[in-house]
């Protein structure tokens, strides 16, 4: 990830700081798709999990983000928790470039498997991760993650299926940004 120079189209990818937490929370809340979490959680992620999070900005405005972490019990995996792109910028490859930046982030070093969970109704997210697996020539396995019964009944949350994509190869991941 290049932390200082904007890409050819003015998008800059960088590691977040606490000052980004509010903008990430706003993108999540406005997405209408992502689970809205407390603003405090995004401050924690931008502070203590910054090495596995990415900000995309244009002229100082946050237009996309990825949050994730390294699961302590699966050291070979990097887990992508949420990815979001401003509605005005979707469909132009920014989601793929964000995931590429995430996989090249300092916190993802050495990981050979990308993990995430996706609800069956999230067509855009399934399209994004299917395209990433295809473009980097990796296998994509889909298995049980969290079921509807794991969530509190009053929330009416869908299943979250576990996607595992690998093996990750650095040269193929870099090509995603071209
Ligand atoms: C999911 C999301 C991040 C994708 O970002 P994006 O910038 O639009 O995605 P890209 O333009 O990089 O597209 C990547 C691939 O996904 C596919 N895709 C993107 N949106 C899609 C949609 N609505 N339906 C089907 N496929 C879709 C694209 O066709 C592309 O595949 P391709 O390389 O075969 O053409 C964006 O739609 C978003 O922010 N959605 C709301 C939040 C969300 O659902 N996040 C995921 C759950 S954590």
């Amino acid at each position: 990830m290049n932390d200082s120079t904007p890409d050819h189209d003015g998008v800059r990818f960088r590691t977040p700081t606490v000052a980004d937490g509010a903008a990430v929370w706003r993108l999540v809340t406005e997405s209408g798709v992502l689970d809205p979490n407390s603003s405090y959680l995004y401050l924690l992620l931008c502070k203590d999990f910054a090495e596995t999070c990415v900000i995309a900005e244009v002229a100082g405005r946050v237009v996309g983000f990825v949050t994730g972490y390294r699961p302590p019990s699966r050291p070979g995996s990097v887990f992508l928790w949420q990815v979001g792109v401003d509605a005005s910028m979707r469909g132009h490859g920014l989601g793929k470039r964000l995931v590429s930046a995430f996989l090249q982030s300092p916190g993802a070093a050495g990981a050979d498997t990308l993990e995430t969970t996706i609800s069956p109704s999230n067509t855009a997210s399934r399209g994004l991760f299917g395209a990433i697996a295809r473009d980097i020539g990796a296998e994509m396995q889909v298995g049980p993650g969290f079921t509807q019964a794991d969530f509190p009944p009053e929330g009416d949350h869908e299943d979250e299926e576990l996607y595992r994509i690998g093996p990750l190869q650095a040269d193929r991941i870099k090509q995603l940004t071209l």
Side-chain angles (χ1 to χ4, degrees):
M1 178 171 30
N2 188 330
D3 250 23
S4 56
T5 316
D7 266 4
H8 53 90
D9 57 357
V11 181
R12 177 183 176 223
F13 297 91
R14 61 172 176 78
T15 304
T17 69
V18 168
D20 297 305
V24 173
W25 174 83
R26 195 164 293 110
L27 274 181
V28 170
T29 307
E30 289 172 355
S31 76
V33 178
L34 295 169
D35 280 347
N37 299 277
S38 75
S39 50
Y40 186 88
L41 175 61
Y42 294 97
L43 298 182
L44 280 182
L45 287 165
C46 289
K47 179 169 180 275
D48 290 336
F49 294 84
E51 292 214 328
T52 44
C53 297
V54 181
I55 294 293
E57 69 178 7
V58 173
R61 184 171 75 94
V62 177
V63 295
F65 72 93
V66 178
T67 55
Y69 66 95
R70 295 296 287 266
S73 61
R74 300 184 302 285
S77 295
V78 60
F79 186 85
L80 187 153
W81 180 42
Q82 289 186 315
V83 49
V85 168
D86 185 278
S88 67
M89 299 194 66
R90 290 180 194 159
H92 300 289
L94 184 53
K96 271 207 277 199
R97 288 159 68 196
L98 269 164
V99 176
S100 173
F102 171 72
L103 293 174
Q104 295 177 70
S105 66
D112 62 11
T113 305
L114 167 64
E115 294 185 12
T116 195
T117 69
I118 305 178
S119 295
S121 69
N122 194 333
T123 310
S125 195
R126 285 193 287 119
L128 172 61
F129 287 96
I132 284 161
R134 178 200 66 209
D135 289 358
I136 65 173
E139 296 275 320
M140 183 168 80
Q141 295 174 345
V142 184
F146 301 112
T147 68
Q148 192 170 26
D150 292 325
F151 294 95
E154 56 271 36
D156 196 26
H157 201 296
E158 270 185 273
D159 289 351
E160 290 276 351
E161 294 178 313
L162 177 64
Y163 283 61
R164 301 187 85 244
I165 295 173
L168 301 174
Q169 297 176 69
D171 54 331
R172 300 294 296 265
I173 291 163
K174 282 195 186 113
Q175 285 169 16
L176 268 176
T177 57
L178 299 177

